[in-house]
Amino acid sequence: MTASGEYGRDDFGQGGLNEGLDVAALVEEIGLDAEEIRWRKEFVGFDEEDERRLSRYEDAFAENADRIAEDFYENLTGHEQTVEVLGRSDKGLDQLKRTQSAYLVTLANGEYGTEYFEDRARIGKIHDMLEMPMKHYIGQYGVYYDLILPLIGDRLVDSLTDRLAPDAAGAAVDDATATAIEEEVDDAIEDLLSVLRIVNLDMQVV
């Protein structure tokens, strides 16, 4: 199990490619100032309620960070095209996995200001410097959905079984009901993943 404080912002910017990368100049070039960040959040409807909801997953993301990074790179190293891109990085696979774990943990740590977007701009620029095709970069988010949405499903199963407990004392629901809840949640997660996969394929083409 990974402690919630094991990964964080300090894990970004450690590779050799970062030495010549001026993040301040990068975000200025992008126009990613405070007003632009505010606009982007407003445009997608990201607000304090989203921050609250994400914060509920901070521990779950931290506890699963190593496993998700392992699975994430298992997929990347299983395809010749992406292996070629990974070979251009000066980071070893263990370093890449650590950065990936930090990426996951910082998704839910409640900090979504300028520094958050600077880190994301840095990540995007590094992938650009590695000449990673957009289909790979955007496609990786599709892989990510597969890895993190089951954590949301697990939380929903726990919440539903608690709510449906037959008495206020917290007695567990019967096995058949618990199994039915888990199957329905799993099926709903798979529906959502199917929608996200086709949207991801559309994004890659666009």
Side-chain angles (χ1 to χ4, degrees):
M1 183 180 295
T2 301
S4 60
E6 182 171 340
Y7 301 112
R9 292 196 67 240
D10 290 343
D11 290 301
F12 299 129
Q14 299 301 313
L17 288 175
N18 286 276
E19 294 177 1
L21 181 55
D22 185 337
V23 177
L26 174 63
V27 295
E28 183 177 353
E29 178 185 349
I30 296 172
L32 203 55
D33 58 15
E35 176 58 24
E36 176 66 10
I37 291 170
R38 184 205 62 76
W39 187 91
R40 292 189 186 201
K41 287 180 179 179
E42 181 181 327
F43 186 66
V44 301
F46 186 89
D47 57 21
E48 291 181 357
E49 175 64 10
D50 295 297
E51 294 179 9
R52 183 189 69 80
R53 289 179 177 277
L54 286 168
S55 69
R56 298 186 300 184
Y57 290 93
E58 184 173 8
D59 289 341
F61 284 5
E63 290 167 6
N64 289 276
D66 292 336
R67 177 186 60 79
I68 288 178
E70 192 72 34
D71 291 346
F72 184 81
Y73 276 97
E74 181 179 349
N75 180 72
L76 287 179
T77 56
H79 299 276
E80 186 176 337
Q81 289 186 28
T82 44
V83 166
E84 180 182 347
V85 176
L86 291 175
R88 300 175 195 147
S89 174
D90 61 343
K91 283 187 175 182
L93 194 55
D94 286 343
Q95 289 177 295
L96 290 169
K97 290 177 181 177
R98 182 171 183 88
T99 302
Q100 187 58 52
S101 293
Y103 177 84
L104 174 65
V105 171
T106 55
L107 284 176
N109 70 357
E111 301 293 334
Y112 307 103
T114 303
E115 290 182 342
Y116 178 91
F117 287 91
E118 287 176 350
D119 290 338
R120 269 44 188 180
R122 177 195 298 277
I123 291 169
K125 184 60 177 179
I126 293 296
H127 284 79
D128 182 51
M129 293 166 70
L130 293 173
E131 298 182 0
M132 173 174 278
M134 191 59 70
K135 64 178 181 179
H136 295 174
Y137 191 77
I138 293 177
Q140 288 180 104
Y141 286 101
V143 175
Y144 223 56
Y145 301 149
D146 286 348
L147 297 173
I148 63 176
L149 283 181
L151 298 179
I152 297 174
D154 290 345
R155 186 182 186 282
L156 179 55
V157 168
D158 290 343
S159 176
L160 288 173
T161 52
D162 287 346
R163 280 195 175 202
L164 295 175
D167 58 57
V173 299
D174 62 82
D175 289 344
T177 302
T179 299
I181 290 172
E182 186 170 359
E183 289 175 350
E184 288 299 318
V185 169
D186 287 347
D187 189 59
I189 292 293
E190 288 302 322
D191 286 349
L192 180 56
L193 285 171
S194 293
V195 173
L196 292 173
R197 286 173 187 137
I198 191 60
V199 170
N200 186 280
L201 288 169
D202 284 3
M203 290 169 64
Q204 291 180 43
V205 174
V206 173

